[in-house]
Amino acid sequence: MAGEDSGRRVRGLLLESAAVIVSILIAFALDAAWDNRELGRELEQDLASVAAEVQTNIQAAGTHIALAERIASSSSEILGVLRSAPDGTPVPVVDTLIWWQTMTPTYEPSLGAIEAVAASGRMSAIEDRELSRRLASLSSRIEDAVEEEYEAQSYFEAVQAPRLFAHLDLSELHYLTDSFVGAAMSEPLESRQSLSHPNSAEVRSAIEYRRYLYLEAVASLRDLVTELEELQALLAAR
């Protein structure tokens, strides 16, 4: 009889222990499920912010493509005028063409949302491997795409500007800056005068190289826009 009571107590203790263990496992499972739901919710918010940021970057890149194209085309026009004149002879050039040569736009991408996702560690929770790969490489890809614009800016400041400032008072063109700020990108600037532009092999070479840099910038930014649009499609498909 005593043996039977002892056996029942052992079985009771085992059942109680099993119940406790099951309760703990259920609690862990509920906690894990809650954590997963919370992670999923936070990730969705992150990716919504990234999608908005991608759209902002697409629009900004489009603006810079238009700027770079106008700088390159104005360079071509100036070169045509200078090459038609004797070497070493200053040439009258319309103010708008000269003004575009002083423009040094640089694309400042918006990367706050993508950097926040990377810093949070939630990137690993993205199930779409292609989406995860593209997001992980986005910052460096944008930096590569804007390299030519920054090189063109540095080249203008170091090489082209000193040659222009030595012969031209570019502050006279402030009215064009004011007009550009208040106009739409598609509106042409109104020319008011022609200025005497220096003309030498050195000057033409500087204009030609800067033109090359902006044409490269156009190509790089167009490739970037294509990649951003593909990323946008992946984000929308989730």
Side-chain angles (χ1 to χ4, degrees), residues 197-210:
H197 195 288
N199 184 21
S200 67
E202 209 174 40
V203 168
R204 293 191 299 272
S205 176
I207 295 172
E208 180 62 48
Y209 183 63
R210 188 163 178 263

Side-chain angles (χ1 to χ4, degrees), residues 13 19 25 45 79-80 107 121 136 162 182 188 219 223:
L13 290 173
L25 291 175
Q45 291 176 344
L79 286 170
Y107 175 33
D223 288 344

Side-chain angles (χ1 to χ4, degrees), residues 37-58:
R37 283 196 297 271
E38 186 67 13
L39 176 61
R41 184 185 64 80
E42 291 173 348
L43 183 59
E44 287 301 320
Q45 291 176 344
D46 288 342
L47 294 182
S49 297
V50 169
E53 189 169 76
V54 167
Q55 179 59 32
T56 297
N57 282 316
I58 289 173

Side-chain angles (χ1 to χ4, degrees), residues 57-75 77 99-101 103-107 149 180 183-189 210-211 214-223 225:
N57 282 316
I58 289 173
Q59 292 171 344
T63 297
H64 278 263
I65 288 170
L67 288 171
E69 286 177 331
R70 291 183 71 167
I71 292 170
S73 65
S74 71
S75 298
E77 290 185 59
W99 182 83
W100 275 108
Q101 292 303 295
M103 287 286 286
T104 56
T106 49
Y107 175 33
E149 269 198 332
F180 179 77
M185 183 68 67
S186 59
E187 294 180 17
L189 294 174
R210 188 163 178 263
R211 173 182 173 276
Y214 275 107
L215 289 175
E216 288 293 300
V218 168
S220 294
L221 289 172
R222 281 179 175 161
D223 288 344
V225 168

